[in-house]
Amino acid sequence: MPNSVRQRTSLGGSSLDEARRRLVFPLDYPSLDEARAAAARVAPSIGVLKVGLELFVREGPRAVEIGKELGLDVFLDLKLHDIPATVAGAVASAAALGVRYLTVHAAGGAEMLRRAAQEAARSRDLILLAVTMLTSLDEADLAAQGIQGSASEHVVRVAQLARAAGIHGFVASPQEVPALRQALGPGELLVTPGIRLGPGPDGARADDQKRIATPSAAISAGADLLVVGRPIRDAADPLAAARSIVQEIAHTLHPPR
């Protein structure tokens, strides 16, 4: 990952502060008011707010403003996948909103990825993330699409395509992170959804995701940013749940001697 991108991720600092900046909370709520209230509740223990399709389609750029109000980075998760000119225009629009992270589909092809990377490079702050394979899919789903090989092989293949096009951030499940880290080296930014907590009531429920792991396992595997939704959102005390995850991340990054 180029030094300019590494600096813009700002993942250093004290143990707890670094861990907090690695935690991404998705605003998977049907209304702006619900999303704003939830974000404010957990803001002290998270670093990034993720705005996905449901909220952005309903509320548009107003959803991005929640991050600015709380002083948090915004991850706009639109998984752009269209013809190169259309995706390049969408990247420019996202950059104008001031978001830090934006997703594009690695399956969009070399030219689409190249145009997206060129457009993102015009912004000082925007970091593109190539989505390698949705966590709702498994190898049976790949086979049904005529894609041969394992999930890890497919993820590495499309990530290498995206990197060759100029993208240095990648979204992959915890199960593919080790193979990605080995293939891409220590410098690239790896973002991991599919995070579930350890044993306990509903702690390890997969819901609609098939390839999951605990925060500690994902960090140990080489992930940089962890997207944690339901374990925080559905907790009796969301802030306490987020704080516990931050502590787990910090402990994994800097184990006691």
Side-chain angles (χ1 to χ4, degrees), residues 198-243:
D202 297 329
R205 282 177 49 193
D207 297 295
D208 59 352
Q209 297 181 327
K210 297 179 180 178
R211 303 181 336 277
I212 63 175
T214 64
S216 179
I219 290 292
S220 296
D224 295 304
L225 301 178
L226 305 186
V227 181
V228 186
R230 291 182 182 92
I232 295 175
R233 185 188 67 207
D234 298 342
D237 185 339
L239 178 58
R243 186 180 298 119

mmCIF file of all heavy atoms in Angstrom, residues 198-243:
data_model
loop_
_atom_site.group_PDB
_atom_site.id
_atom_site.type_symbol
_atom_site.label_atom_id
_atom_site.label_comp_id
_atom_site.label_asym_id
_atom_site.label_seq_id
_atom_site.Cartn_x
_atom_site.Cartn_y
_atom_site.Cartn_z
ATOM 1 N N GLY A 198 -17.880 -14.418 20.494
ATOM 2 C CA GLY A 198 -17.615 -15.780 20.892
ATOM 3 C C GLY A 198 -18.820 -16.434 21.535
ATOM 4 O O GLY A 198 -19.947 -15.963 21.395
ATOM 5 N N PRO A 199 -18.622 -17.541 22.249
ATOM 6 C CA PRO A 199 -19.729 -18.282 22.858
ATOM 7 C C PRO A 199 -20.574 -17.395 23.759
ATOM 8 O O PRO A 199 -20.088 -16.496 24.417
ATOM 9 C CB PRO A 199 -19.017 -19.375 23.662
ATOM 10 C CG PRO A 199 -17.700 -19.543 22.967
ATOM 11 C CD PRO A 199 -17.315 -18.161 22.494
ATOM 12 N N GLY A 200 -21.854 -17.677 23.769
ATOM 13 C CA GLY A 200 -22.796 -16.891 24.563
ATOM 14 C C GLY A 200 -24.104 -16.799 23.812
ATOM 15 O O GLY A 200 -24.212 -17.246 22.666
ATOM 16 N N PRO A 201 -25.135 -16.229 24.419
ATOM 17 C CA PRO A 201 -26.436 -16.128 23.775
ATOM 18 C C PRO A 201 -26.344 -15.365 22.455
ATOM 19 O O PRO A 201 -26.047 -14.183 22.424
ATOM 20 C CB PRO A 201 -27.288 -15.361 24.805
ATOM 21 C CG PRO A 201 -26.604 -15.607 26.107
ATOM 22 C CD PRO A 201 -25.144 -15.696 25.789
ATOM 23 N N ASP A 202 -26.561 -16.062 21.377
ATOM 24 C CA ASP A 202 -26.555 -15.479 20.026
ATOM 25 C C ASP A 202 -25.195 -14.936 19.629
ATOM 26 O O ASP A 202 -25.069 -14.268 18.606
ATOM 27 C CB ASP A 202 -27.598 -14.353 19.894
ATOM 28 C CG ASP A 202 -29.010 -14.861 20.099
ATOM 29 O OD1 ASP A 202 -29.247 -16.030 19.752
ATOM 30 O OD2 ASP A 202 -29.850 -14.115 20.615
ATOM 31 N N GLY A 203 -24.156 -15.207 20.391
ATOM 32 C CA GLY A 203 -22.863 -14.606 20.112
ATOM 33 C C GLY A 203 -22.294 -14.975 18.768
ATOM 34 O O GLY A 203 -21.689 -14.149 18.101
ATOM 35 N N ALA A 204 -22.441 -16.211 18.355
ATOM 36 C CA ALA A 204 -21.828 -16.660 17.124
ATOM 37 C C ALA A 204 -22.840 -16.952 16.027
ATOM 38 O O ALA A 204 -22.569 -17.683 15.092
ATOM 39 C CB ALA A 204 -20.989 -17.910 17.397
ATOM 40 N N ARG A 205 -24.025 -16.382 16.136
ATOM 41 C CA ARG A 205 -25.026 -16.574 15.080
ATOM 42 C C ARG A 205 -24.502 -16.040 13.762
ATOM 43 O O ARG A 205 -23.992 -14.926 13.679
ATOM 44 C CB ARG A 205 -26.324 -15.834 15.441
ATOM 45 C CG ARG A 205 -27.174 -16.540 16.466
ATOM 46 C CD ARG A 205 -28.387 -15.705 16.806
ATOM 47 N NE ARG A 205 -29.074 -15.247 15.621
ATOM 48 C CZ ARG A 205 -30.013 -14.297 15.640
ATOM 49 N NH1 ARG A 205 -30.327 -13.695 16.767
ATOM 50 N NH2 ARG A 205 -30.611 -13.927 14.522
ATOM 51 N N ALA A 206 -24.680 -16.819 12.699
ATOM 52 C CA ALA A 206 -24.201 -16.393 11.383
ATOM 53 C C ALA A 206 -25.210 -15.518 10.676
ATOM 54 O O ALA A 206 -24.852 -14.709 9.827
ATOM 55 C CB ALA A 206 -23.885 -17.621 10.530
ATOM 56 N N ASP A 207 -26.519 -15.663 10.980
ATOM 57 C CA ASP A 207 -27.579 -14.951 10.275
ATOM 58 C C ASP A 207 -27.438 -15.202 8.775
ATOM 59 O O ASP A 207 -27.398 -16.341 8.352
ATOM 60 C CB ASP A 207 -27.552 -13.466 10.642
ATOM 61 C CG ASP A 207 -27.836 -13.256 12.129
ATOM 62 O OD1 ASP A 207 -28.954 -13.567 12.565
ATOM 63 O OD2 ASP A 207 -26.916 -12.804 12.835
ATOM 64 N N ASP A 208 -27.311 -14.151 7.946
ATOM 65 C CA ASP A 208 -27.262 -14.365 6.500
ATOM 66 C C ASP A 208 -25.834 -14.405 5.963
ATOM 67 O O ASP A 208 -25.611 -14.317 4.759
ATOM 68 C CB ASP A 208 -28.076 -13.291 5.766
ATOM 69 C CG ASP A 208 -27.589 -11.877 6.049
ATOM 70 O OD1 ASP A 208 -26.725 -11.716 6.936
ATOM 71 O OD2 ASP A 208 -28.079 -10.943 5.401
ATOM 72 N N GLN A 209 -24.869 -14.550 6.853
ATOM 73 C CA GLN A 209 -23.471 -14.617 6.425
ATOM 74 C C GLN A 209 -22.931 -16.019 6.690
ATOM 75 O O GLN A 209 -23.224 -16.628 7.717
ATOM 76 C CB GLN A 209 -22.634 -13.562 7.152
ATOM 77 C CG GLN A 209 -23.079 -12.146 6.812
ATOM 78 C CD GLN A 209 -22.238 -11.094 7.504
ATOM 79 O OE1 GLN A 209 -21.769 -11.304 8.605
ATOM 80 N NE2 GLN A 209 -22.062 -9.962 6.861
ATOM 81 N N LYS A 210 -22.135 -16.519 5.726
ATOM 82 C CA LYS A 210 -21.681 -17.902 5.789
ATOM 83 C C LYS A 210 -20.234 -18.040 6.246
ATOM 84 O O LYS A 210 -19.824 -19.133 6.625
ATOM 85 C CB LYS A 210 -21.859 -18.566 4.417
ATOM 86 C CG LYS A 210 -23.313 -18.638 3.961
ATOM 87 C CD LYS A 210 -23.441 -19.278 2.585
ATOM 88 C CE LYS A 210 -24.893 -19.351 2.149
ATOM 89 N NZ LYS A 210 -25.049 -19.935 0.793
ATOM 90 N N ARG A 211 -19.449 -16.973 6.179
ATOM 91 C CA ARG A 211 -18.028 -17.076 6.486
ATOM 92 C C ARG A 211 -17.704 -16.030 7.548
ATOM 93 O O ARG A 211 -17.527 -14.863 7.232
ATOM 94 C CB ARG A 211 -17.192 -16.874 5.209
ATOM 95 C CG ARG A 211 -17.583 -17.873 4.158
ATOM 96 C CD ARG A 211 -16.853 -17.867 2.831
ATOM 97 N NE ARG A 211 -16.210 -16.678 2.388
ATOM 98 C CZ ARG A 211 -16.818 -15.673 1.757
ATOM 99 N NH1 ARG A 211 -18.122 -15.705 1.547
ATOM 100 N NH2 ARG A 211 -16.139 -14.645 1.335
ATOM 101 N N ILE A 212 -17.684 -16.472 8.818
ATOM 102 C CA ILE A 212 -17.604 -15.539 9.939
ATOM 103 C C ILE A 212 -16.423 -15.875 10.840
ATOM 104 O O ILE A 212 -15.803 -16.927 10.720
ATOM 105 C CB ILE A 212 -18.910 -15.551 10.768
ATOM 106 C CG1 ILE A 212 -19.130 -16.940 11.391
ATOM 107 C CG2 ILE A 212 -20.098 -15.160 9.908
ATOM 108 C CD1 ILE A 212 -20.318 -17.018 12.330
ATOM 109 N N ALA A 213 -16.113 -14.962 11.778
ATOM 110 C CA ALA A 213 -15.067 -15.188 12.768
ATOM 111 C C ALA A 213 -15.237 -14.188 13.896
ATOM 112 O O ALA A 213 -15.968 -13.196 13.780
ATOM 113 C CB ALA A 213 -13.678 -15.053 12.150
ATOM 114 N N THR A 214 -14.548 -14.428 15.006
ATOM 115 C CA THR A 214 -14.561 -13.500 16.128
ATOM 116 C C THR A 214 -13.623 -12.330 15.837
ATOM 117 O O THR A 214 -12.750 -12.420 14.961
ATOM 118 C CB THR A 214 -14.091 -14.200 17.412
ATOM 119 O OG1 THR A 214 -12.722 -14.600 17.243
ATOM 120 C CG2 THR A 214 -14.952 -15.407 17.728
ATOM 121 N N PRO A 215 -13.765 -11.222 16.574
ATOM 122 C CA PRO A 215 -12.842 -10.096 16.374
ATOM 123 C C PRO A 215 -11.384 -10.493 16.544
ATOM 124 O O PRO A 215 -10.525 -10.116 15.743
ATOM 125 C CB PRO A 215 -13.286 -9.092 17.442
ATOM 126 C CG PRO A 215 -14.731 -9.393 17.671
ATOM 127 C CD PRO A 215 -14.842 -10.878 17.526
ATOM 128 N N SER A 216 -11.085 -11.259 17.586
ATOM 129 C CA SER A 216 -9.709 -11.656 17.841
ATOM 130 C C SER A 216 -9.155 -12.489 16.696
ATOM 131 O O SER A 216 -8.019 -12.284 16.252
ATOM 132 C CB SER A 216 -9.636 -12.444 19.155
ATOM 133 O OG SER A 216 -8.309 -12.864 19.394
ATOM 134 N N ALA A 217 -9.954 -13.447 16.197
ATOM 135 C CA ALA A 217 -9.486 -14.302 15.112
ATOM 136 C C ALA A 217 -9.240 -13.493 13.847
ATOM 137 O O ALA A 217 -8.264 -13.725 13.123
ATOM 138 C CB ALA A 217 -10.510 -15.403 14.836
ATOM 139 N N ALA A 218 -10.106 -12.529 13.560
ATOM 140 C CA ALA A 218 -9.943 -11.723 12.348
ATOM 141 C C ALA A 218 -8.696 -10.849 12.427
ATOM 142 O O ALA A 218 -7.939 -10.744 11.448
ATOM 143 C CB ALA A 218 -11.187 -10.856 12.127
ATOM 144 N N ILE A 219 -8.466 -10.223 13.570
ATOM 145 C CA ILE A 219 -7.267 -9.400 13.740
ATOM 146 C C ILE A 219 -6.014 -10.267 13.655
ATOM 147 O O ILE A 219 -5.021 -9.905 13.004
ATOM 148 C CB ILE A 219 -7.314 -8.643 15.080
ATOM 149 C CG1 ILE A 219 -8.393 -7.542 15.034
ATOM 150 C CG2 ILE A 219 -5.957 -8.036 15.415
ATOM 151 C CD1 ILE A 219 -8.103 -6.393 14.106
ATOM 152 N N SER A 220 -6.044 -11.421 14.299
ATOM 153 C CA SER A 220 -4.894 -12.321 14.264
ATOM 154 C C SER A 220 -4.600 -12.791 12.849
ATOM 155 O O SER A 220 -3.437 -13.040 12.496
ATOM 156 C CB SER A 220 -5.146 -13.530 15.168
ATOM 157 O OG SER A 220 -5.261 -13.140 16.517
ATOM 158 N N ALA A 221 -5.641 -12.907 12.029
ATOM 159 C CA ALA A 221 -5.468 -13.360 10.648
ATOM 160 C C ALA A 221 -4.883 -12.281 9.749
ATOM 161 O O ALA A 221 -4.412 -12.574 8.655
ATOM 162 C CB ALA A 221 -6.806 -13.828 10.075
ATOM 163 N N GLY A 222 -4.925 -11.020 10.206
ATOM 164 C CA GLY A 222 -4.333 -9.944 9.422
ATOM 165 C C GLY A 222 -5.281 -8.847 8.997
ATOM 166 O O GLY A 222 -4.914 -7.976 8.207
ATOM 167 N N ALA A 223 -6.520 -8.850 9.523
ATOM 168 C CA ALA A 223 -7.480 -7.804 9.169
ATOM 169 C C ALA A 223 -7.089 -6.468 9.811
ATOM 170 O O ALA A 223 -6.527 -6.433 10.907
ATOM 171 C CB ALA A 223 -8.881 -8.197 9.612
ATOM 172 N N ASP A 224 -7.408 -5.377 9.121
ATOM 173 C CA ASP A 224 -7.149 -4.032 9.642
ATOM 174 C C ASP A 224 -8.401 -3.409 10.246
ATOM 175 O O ASP A 224 -8.362 -2.877 11.356
ATOM 176 C CB ASP A 224 -6.630 -3.131 8.518
ATOM 177 C CG ASP A 224 -5.287 -3.570 8.001
ATOM 178 O OD1 ASP A 224 -4.348 -3.672 8.803
ATOM 179 O OD2 ASP A 224 -5.168 -3.827 6.785
ATOM 180 N N LEU A 225 -9.497 -3.434 9.507
ATOM 181 C CA LEU A 225 -10.762 -2.867 9.968
ATOM 182 C C LEU A 225 -11.785 -3.982 10.091
ATOM 183 O O LEU A 225 -11.892 -4.839 9.200
ATOM 184 C CB LEU A 225 -11.283 -1.808 8.996
ATOM 185 C CG LEU A 225 -10.393 -0.601 8.719
ATOM 186 C CD1 LEU A 225 -11.057 0.321 7.702
ATOM 187 C CD2 LEU A 225 -10.081 0.158 9.991
ATOM 188 N N LEU A 226 -12.569 -3.962 11.174
ATOM 189 C CA LEU A 226 -13.602 -4.965 11.404
ATOM 190 C C LEU A 226 -14.975 -4.311 11.342
ATOM 191 O O LEU A 226 -15.228 -3.321 12.038
ATOM 192 C CB LEU A 226 -13.428 -5.624 12.771
ATOM 193 C CG LEU A 226 -12.077 -6.257 13.103
ATOM 194 C CD1 LEU A 226 -12.161 -6.982 14.438
ATOM 195 C CD2 LEU A 226 -11.613 -7.192 12.005
ATOM 196 N N VAL A 227 -15.856 -4.867 10.530
ATOM 197 C CA VAL A 227 -17.232 -4.389 10.440
ATOM 198 C C VAL A 227 -18.081 -5.247 11.364
ATOM 199 O O VAL A 227 -18.234 -6.451 11.144
ATOM 200 C CB VAL A 227 -17.760 -4.472 8.998
ATOM 201 C CG1 VAL A 227 -19.196 -3.956 8.927
ATOM 202 C CG2 VAL A 227 -16.857 -3.691 8.052
ATOM 203 N N VAL A 228 -18.630 -4.633 12.411
ATOM 204 C CA VAL A 228 -19.395 -5.367 13.416
ATOM 205 C C VAL A 228 -20.768 -4.718 13.544
ATOM 206 O O VAL A 228 -20.883 -3.602 14.054
ATOM 207 C CB VAL A 228 -18.676 -5.384 14.776
ATOM 208 C CG1 VAL A 228 -19.432 -6.293 15.757
ATOM 209 C CG2 VAL A 228 -17.232 -5.862 14.626
ATOM 210 N N GLY A 229 -21.796 -5.447 13.101
ATOM 211 C CA GLY A 229 -23.142 -4.901 13.117
ATOM 212 C C GLY A 229 -24.020 -5.477 14.197
ATOM 213 O O GLY A 229 -24.168 -4.904 15.274
ATOM 214 N N ARG A 230 -24.606 -6.637 13.930
ATOM 215 C CA ARG A 230 -25.601 -7.202 14.844
ATOM 216 C C ARG A 230 -25.111 -7.388 16.280
ATOM 217 O O ARG A 230 -25.875 -7.134 17.217
ATOM 218 C CB ARG A 230 -26.101 -8.544 14.285
ATOM 219 C CG ARG A 230 -26.947 -8.396 13.018
ATOM 220 C CD ARG A 230 -27.428 -9.765 12.559
ATOM 221 N NE ARG A 230 -28.202 -9.680 11.326
ATOM 222 C CZ ARG A 230 -27.679 -9.809 10.111
ATOM 223 N NH1 ARG A 230 -26.378 -10.032 9.989
ATOM 224 N NH2 ARG A 230 -28.431 -9.723 9.035
ATOM 225 N N PRO A 231 -23.876 -7.853 16.512
ATOM 226 C CA PRO A 231 -23.453 -8.035 17.902
ATOM 227 C C PRO A 231 -23.472 -6.746 18.728
ATOM 228 O O PRO A 231 -23.595 -6.798 19.951
ATOM 229 C CB PRO A 231 -22.029 -8.584 17.769
ATOM 230 C CG PRO A 231 -22.022 -9.276 16.444
ATOM 231 C CD PRO A 231 -22.881 -8.405 15.571
ATOM 232 N N ILE A 232 -23.349 -5.598 18.063
ATOM 233 C CA ILE A 232 -23.452 -4.314 18.759
ATOM 234 C C ILE A 232 -24.896 -3.834 18.739
ATOM 235 O O ILE A 232 -25.472 -3.497 19.777
ATOM 236 C CB ILE A 232 -22.531 -3.260 18.110
ATOM 237 C CG1 ILE A 232 -21.058 -3.665 18.274
ATOM 238 C CG2 ILE A 232 -22.782 -1.881 18.716
ATOM 239 C CD1 ILE A 232 -20.087 -2.754 17.552
ATOM 240 N N ARG A 233 -25.479 -3.813 17.563
ATOM 241 C CA ARG A 233 -26.823 -3.252 17.408
ATOM 242 C C ARG A 233 -27.866 -3.977 18.250
ATOM 243 O O ARG A 233 -28.758 -3.354 18.831
ATOM 244 C CB ARG A 233 -27.228 -3.337 15.928
ATOM 245 C CG ARG A 233 -28.554 -2.673 15.595
ATOM 246 C CD ARG A 233 -28.937 -2.989 14.159
ATOM 247 N NE ARG A 233 -29.241 -4.406 14.000
ATOM 248 C CZ ARG A 233 -29.106 -5.077 12.859
ATOM 249 N NH1 ARG A 233 -28.628 -4.472 11.794
ATOM 250 N NH2 ARG A 233 -29.431 -6.350 12.792
ATOM 251 N N ASP A 234 -27.759 -5.320 18.341
ATOM 252 C CA ASP A 234 -28.780 -6.095 19.037
ATOM 253 C C ASP A 234 -28.465 -6.333 20.509
ATOM 254 O O ASP A 234 -29.217 -7.020 21.202
ATOM 255 C CB ASP A 234 -28.972 -7.449 18.335
ATOM 256 C CG ASP A 234 -29.467 -7.293 16.896
ATOM 257 O OD1 ASP A 234 -29.979 -6.201 16.574
ATOM 258 O OD2 ASP A 234 -29.341 -8.243 16.109
ATOM 259 N N ALA A 235 -27.364 -5.785 20.984
ATOM 260 C CA ALA A 235 -26.995 -5.974 22.390
ATOM 261 C C ALA A 235 -27.908 -5.162 23.305
ATOM 262 O O ALA A 235 -28.447 -4.125 22.911
ATOM 263 C CB ALA A 235 -25.542 -5.556 22.611
ATOM 264 N N ALA A 236 -28.064 -5.644 24.544
ATOM 265 C CA ALA A 236 -28.856 -4.895 25.520
ATOM 266 C C ALA A 236 -28.243 -3.524 25.779
ATOM 267 O O ALA A 236 -28.951 -2.537 25.991
ATOM 268 C CB ALA A 236 -28.955 -5.692 26.819
ATOM 269 N N ASP A 237 -26.916 -3.453 25.735
ATOM 270 C CA ASP A 237 -26.189 -2.191 25.904
ATOM 271 C C ASP A 237 -25.201 -2.078 24.741
ATOM 272 O O ASP A 237 -24.080 -2.583 24.829
ATOM 273 C CB ASP A 237 -25.456 -2.180 27.245
ATOM 274 C CG ASP A 237 -24.777 -0.848 27.542
ATOM 275 O OD1 ASP A 237 -24.528 -0.077 26.585
ATOM 276 O OD2 ASP A 237 -24.481 -0.581 28.721
ATOM 277 N N PRO A 238 -25.585 -1.432 23.641
ATOM 278 C CA PRO A 238 -24.717 -1.369 22.466
ATOM 279 C C PRO A 238 -23.357 -0.741 22.734
ATOM 280 O O PRO A 238 -22.346 -1.204 22.206
ATOM 281 C CB PRO A 238 -25.534 -0.543 21.470
ATOM 282 C CG PRO A 238 -26.955 -0.778 21.860
ATOM 283 C CD PRO A 238 -26.916 -0.855 23.358
ATOM 284 N N LEU A 239 -23.310 0.311 23.558
ATOM 285 C CA LEU A 239 -22.023 0.945 23.847
ATOM 286 C C LEU A 239 -21.106 -0.004 24.607
ATOM 287 O O LEU A 239 -19.909 -0.105 24.303
ATOM 288 C CB LEU A 239 -22.231 2.234 24.653
ATOM 289 C CG LEU A 239 -20.947 2.961 25.061
ATOM 290 C CD1 LEU A 239 -20.102 3.328 23.848
ATOM 291 C CD2 LEU A 239 -21.286 4.208 25.879
ATOM 292 N N ALA A 240 -21.652 -0.719 25.561
ATOM 293 C CA ALA A 240 -20.837 -1.685 26.310
ATOM 294 C C ALA A 240 -20.342 -2.791 25.390
ATOM 295 O O ALA A 240 -19.200 -3.256 25.519
ATOM 296 C CB ALA A 240 -21.646 -2.269 27.463
ATOM 297 N N ALA A 241 -21.186 -3.222 24.451
ATOM 298 C CA ALA A 241 -20.775 -4.262 23.505
ATOM 299 C C ALA A 241 -19.636 -3.759 22.622
ATOM 300 O O ALA A 241 -18.656 -4.478 22.380
ATOM 301 C CB ALA A 241 -21.965 -4.685 22.648
ATOM 302 N N ALA A 242 -19.758 -2.520 22.140
ATOM 303 C CA ALA A 242 -18.698 -1.949 21.310
ATOM 304 C C ALA A 242 -17.412 -1.803 22.109
ATOM 305 O O ALA A 242 -16.316 -2.103 21.622
ATOM 306 C CB ALA A 242 -19.138 -0.594 20.757
ATOM 307 N N ARG A 243 -17.534 -1.360 23.352
ATOM 308 C CA ARG A 243 -16.348 -1.196 24.205
ATOM 309 C C ARG A 243 -15.659 -2.532 24.436
ATOM 310 O O ARG A 243 -14.427 -2.626 24.416
ATOM 311 C CB ARG A 243 -16.761 -0.562 25.531
ATOM 312 C CG ARG A 243 -15.584 -0.219 26.431
ATOM 313 C CD ARG A 243 -16.059 0.396 27.734
ATOM 314 N NE ARG A 243 -16.779 1.649 27.517
ATOM 315 C CZ ARG A 243 -18.050 1.858 27.850
ATOM 316 N NH1 ARG A 243 -18.760 0.889 28.410
ATOM 317 N NH2 ARG A 243 -18.617 3.017 27.623
#
